[in-house]
Amino acid sequence: MGVLDSVGGPEDLKRLDADELTLLAAEIRDLLVSSVARGGGHLGPNLGVVELTIALHRVFDSPHDPILWDTGHQAYVHKMLTGRAGDFGTLRQEGGLSGYPSQAESEHDFIENSHASTALSYADGMAKAMRLRGESGRSVVAVIGDGALTGGMAWEALNNIAARKDLPIVIVVNDNGRSYSPTIGGLATHLASLRATQNYEHALEFIKENLGRVPIVGAPLYETLHGVKKGLKDILAPQVMFEDLGLKYLGPVDGHDLAAVEAALRSARDFRGPVIVHAITRKGMGYSPAENHDEDNFHSPQPFDIATGEERPRAHGWTNVFSEEIVRLGKEREELVAITAAMLHPTGLAQFAEEYPDRIFDVGIAEQHALTSAAGLALGGMRPVVAIYSTFLNRAFDQLLMDVALHRLPVTLVLDRAGVTGDDGASHNGMWDLSILQVVPNLSIAVPRDGERLRELLGEAIAIDDGPTAIRFPKGALPEDLDAVGKLGGMDVLRAGDADVLIVAVGPMAEICVEAADLLDAQGISATVVDPRWVKPLDESLILAAQAHRLVVVVEDNGRVGGVGDAVARMLRDAGVDTPVRTYGIPQRFLSHAKRPSVLTRAGLTGRDIARGVTEAMAGRTTPLEHASG
């Protein structure tokens, strides 16, 4: 039996000696590598926090002392040490452990966050609540990566935390110089200087040892120097930034030296006020293929071969097509620039950065700044493309609405991971964008059904110069290109039918809509399938088409509330068309993690489910849509 097998919870860690702790760290790394090698996941960040996480659970008393993770993808080791090591083989599998903290899994998991820069605000509120409730013996620990620390919300929280000297908050900065790729910005440069500077405590020790050998004056001189250590700190390392905010600062400390980390954390805990512990860690630590992986230190690899680190080949996906097309468009249009929020490779902009290094801007984890900076670029005569995950657009809605759309600026949003992403769970699904974006004036929205349409629509979007545009597509492999058999206004007709049913297929739902139409045809129900291509504004031809059919069905991989289905129904009502409209979409609730096909099946978004619902509707029976309506 290994050491990890004997750890049923944090209390068991406190009984281990130094040799056992060393073995425990090695066993944790072995389990991390073997589990992620099978099913994928966030490997590099977790390899880098093994000793740090052990130290946290030895010093603090979780869940009495809440430990918050920012972001939650670095909480795998935390899961192992809080009784879930035996289930770790189910990580990110349907019905298994989540890839993020999960309240449903453990009392040790408080926040289920995957959106960065939030933990300090949670900690501020939780610590204030403890004070108000008279719970004086507790601490709140927030572990925040240096990438998450680039987010503006983190600094808003720091500003408030610093104003309350009585809040027992321990802020652990997990500084590995990377979020996905190397961390970007002035703060990153500042932290890099800290990493490159000898710890001032080590310098003081050197001075003490050497001056102590000088007769008579040695010891007094050391005491004098120690009395002005704040000035010495400023000479040896610029951590004065944090202390000027009014926050006690400890570090930098080697995040892989368990004893040193524990000592720093104990000092921070006993201070009973806001303290920053600056831990220097190495992403991918202990697994050489991750340590030597230049792109992102195996941040989130596909399944891979443990011996070589070679990842299973990825299918040519939506992101690849965007990557190729944006490079081609960049050659045609010298004013084209691209913006990413710390996700150069995941959003497909790495090749654009290589080809046009002066026209790429990585703003760090700062989606709000990305949108308003894009607005400024547009005002300056450039043609900005902002590539982010759909779920992260939520953070920049005000900037899109008031800084971009209000001024009718030609900014194009490219929303990757739209609809259902699956494995990463509720916080990563991009199922909100078509609802959120519907309310933005002057904005046009395109939804491609396949790779060829992605190329077409990206070019069309960038050509629009009197307002913002958005184009969204899902994660994963591309479907086969589905060519149109005709046109209806600006819409593509994918299957021609008679006057029974008009199916409006939104983007990647086209394939299952054609499948549903074929199944309906076998039941004697004729269906016309159209792809609107642009879902805002909707094509006016849809009005006449709806009038000519007995039923309109809208199928989308977005939440049903406020999405394309609602926009179609509203358009027809406004035009006085009374053809009934039925919407099939994602349930309006937070979905547990599973593969995309499984999530879509559970939501009733299959050709068979849609055909059955339409058949019942045409027969005059009420179709139970609860599973598909939320």
Side-chain angles (χ1 to χ4, degrees):
M1 186 171 91
V3 180
L4 182 56
D5 295 324
S6 70
V7 178
E11 285 304 313
D12 296 326
L13 291 172
K14 297 169 185 178
R15 293 190 286 269
L16 301 179
D17 61 29
D19 290 339
E20 290 172 317
L21 290 169
T22 299
L23 287 172
L24 175 64
E27 291 175 12
I28 288 172
R29 286 193 167 91
D30 286 345
L31 183 54
L32 284 170
V33 172
S34 62
S35 297
V36 177
R38 286 194 302 271
H42 290 91
L43 180 59
N46 286 285
L47 289 170
V49 297
V50 174
E51 289 82 9
L52 176 59
T53 309
I54 293 172
L56 284 165
H57 279 293
R58 280 170 55 83
V59 171
F60 296 96
D61 181 19
S62 176
H64 180 73
D65 298 323
I67 300 175
L68 314 178
W69 299 90
D70 194 349
T71 63
H73 67 240
Q74 61 187 321
Y76 289 9
V77 184
H78 163 81
K79 286 176 181 265
M80 292 182 190
L81 299 179
T82 52
R84 287 168 277 180
D87 296 324
F88 209 71
T90 68
L91 182 72
R92 301 174 75 240
Q93 296 177 18
E94 187 170 1
L97 294 180
S98 167
Y100 292 87
S102 170
Q103 293 179 351
E105 286 180 13
S106 173
E107 64 179 348
H108 297 276
D109 294 1
F110 286 85
I111 55 174
E112 306 185 17
N113 66 320
S114 70
H115 289 207
S117 313
T118 61
L120 299 185
S121 295
Y122 279 115
D124 175 63
M126 293 175 76
K128 287 173 179 173
M130 290 175 185
R131 283 293 185 216
L132 290 171
R133 292 167 61 90
E135 298 170 350
S136 59
R138 304 177 69 189
S139 298
V140 183
V141 182
V143 183
I144 181 167
D146 59 297
L149 200 57
T150 64
M153 188 174 172
W155 290 90
E156 293 174 18
L158 282 172
N159 185 50
N160 281 271
I161 290 169
R164 292 289 302 269
K165 306 301 183 185
D166 62 336
L167 295 181
I169 299 175
V170 176
I171 301 166
V172 180
V173 178
N174 173 29
D175 181 7
N176 60 27
R178 288 173 172 264
S179 46
Y180 288 82
S181 300
T183 307
I184 298 297
L187 175 65
T189 302
H190 177 88
L191 292 176
S193 70
L194 289 177
R195 286 193 294 275
T197 305
Q198 185 182 27
N199 190 341
Y200 88 96
E201 285 91 349
H202 294 170
L204 280 175
E205 188 62 29
F206 174 83
I207 294 168
K208 180 177 182 180
E209 289 177 2
N210 286 275
L211 288 182
R213 300 190 185 107
V214 180
I216 303 175
V217 299
L221 182 56
Y222 165 74
E223 295 301 327
T224 301
L225 284 172
H226 194 270
V228 294
K229 67 179 182 179
K230 175 65 185 298
L232 186 59
K233 275 200 226 179
D234 295 347
I235 295 169
L236 295 173
Q239 60 260 42
V240 65
M241 176 182 70
F242 289 113
E243 294 192 345
D244 280 353
L245 284 172
L247 295 166
K248 177 72 174 175
Y249 175 94
L250 298 176
V253 61
D254 181 352
H256 302 295
D257 183 334
L258 186 56
V261 177
E262 282 194 32
L265 292 175
R266 291 185 196 282
S267 295
R269 179 197 63 191
D270 296 342
F271 184 68
R272 306 308 300 163
V275 183
I276 286 180
V277 177
H278 183 188
I280 308 297
T281 62
R282 185 174 182 182
K283 195 172 183 178
M285 177 72 175
Y287 179 56
S288 58
E291 290 182 4
N292 298 320
H293 188 251
D294 290 335
E295 182 177 312
D296 63 5
N297 295 114
F298 270 31
H299 178 85
S300 182
Q302 294 289 302
F304 60 90
D305 180 87
I306 294 176
T308 65
E310 184 176 351
E311 290 185 64
R312 186 181 302 167
R314 298 174 187 245
H316 194 71
W318 294 88
T319 307
N320 300 106
V321 173
F322 164 69
S323 178
E324 295 159 0
E325 193 63 16
I326 195 69
V327 169
R328 189 189 68 79
L329 291 168
K331 186 176 182 179
E332 293 181 356
R333 303 185 60 151
E334 292 185 355
E335 77 278 14
L336 187 68
V337 295
I339 301 174
T340 177
M343 301 185 75
L344 186 71
H345 290 89
T347 58
L349 286 176
Q351 186 60 40
F352 186 91
E354 285 188 23
E355 297 285 341
Y356 315 109
D358 294 334
R359 291 156 57 187
I360 183 77
F361 303 98
D362 188 339
V363 300
I365 301 178
E367 291 84 2
Q368 293 172 307
H369 170 69
L371 265 292
T372 304
S373 180
L377 283 162
L379 286 168
M382 305 306 289
R383 188 61 183 83
V385 173
V386 182
I388 56 177
Y389 283 8
S390 171
T391 184
F392 298 140
L393 172 66
N394 304 348
R395 318 191 78 175
F397 176 76
D398 181 69
Q399 287 70 30
L400 172 62
L401 183 68
M402 293 300 176
D403 301 338
V404 177
L406 176 66
H407 301 100
R408 303 189 73 100
L409 294 172
V411 173
T412 294
L413 298 173
V414 176
L415 305 178
D416 202 332
R417 273 68 165 177
V420 173
T421 58
D423 294 342
D424 286 323
S427 59
H428 266 57
N429 287 323
M431 56 177 280
W432 324 102
D433 54 3
L434 291 178
S435 302
I436 292 170
L437 295 177
Q438 282 288 339
V439 306
V440 179
N442 306 325
L443 173 72
S444 301
I445 308 170
V447 188
R449 65 179 179 269
D450 54 32
E452 184 57 34
R453 259 43 64 176
L454 173 52
R455 293 183 181 91
E456 291 175 2
L457 289 167
L458 181 62
E460 292 176 24
I462 290 173
I464 293 173
D465 60 7
D466 61 350
T469 53
I471 183 167
R472 51 102 77 179
F473 49 83
K475 175 184 179 180
L478 284 163
E480 293 289 330
D481 284 347
L482 183 57
D483 293 332
V485 298
K487 297 291 286 187
L488 184 61
M491 300 185 293
D492 285 345
V493 178
L494 305 181
R495 191 182 189 283
D498 295 328
D500 289 336
V501 182
L502 175 66
I503 301 178
V504 180
V506 178
M509 295 291 98
E511 188 175 13
I512 68 166
C513 290
V514 172
E515 178 191 345
D518 291 340
L519 292 170
L520 288 168
D521 189 62
Q523 299 294 319
I525 299 172
S526 179
T528 299
V529 181
V530 297
D531 171 9
R533 300 175 74 253
W534 290 92
V535 298
K536 183 180 183 293
L538 289 164
D539 196 300
E540 295 288 330
S541 301
L542 197 56
I543 297 172
L544 292 176
Q547 282 181 315
H549 288 81
R550 295 168 56 197
L551 176 68
V552 175
V553 173
V554 182
V555 184
E556 58 187 306
D557 60 340
N558 185 76
R560 291 183 71 249
V561 177
V564 180
D566 282 0
V568 170
R570 183 172 59 253
M571 180 189 200
L572 298 184
R573 284 197 307 272
D574 290 348
V577 176
D578 59 4
T579 305
V581 178
R582 303 181 73 81
T583 299
Y584 288 81
I586 300 173
Q588 207 71 34
R589 58 176 180 264
F590 296 111
L591 307 176
S592 57
H593 63 279
K595 297 293 184 185
R596 174 180 165 86
S598 178
V599 174
L600 293 177
T601 297
R602 290 204 311 255
L605 291 174
T606 69
R608 190 168 299 279
D609 284 326
I610 293 165
R612 180 168 56 249
V614 171
T615 300
E616 293 174 352
M618 294 296 288
R621 296 192 297 271
T622 300
T623 307
L625 282 177
E626 289 307 310
H627 66 303
S629 63

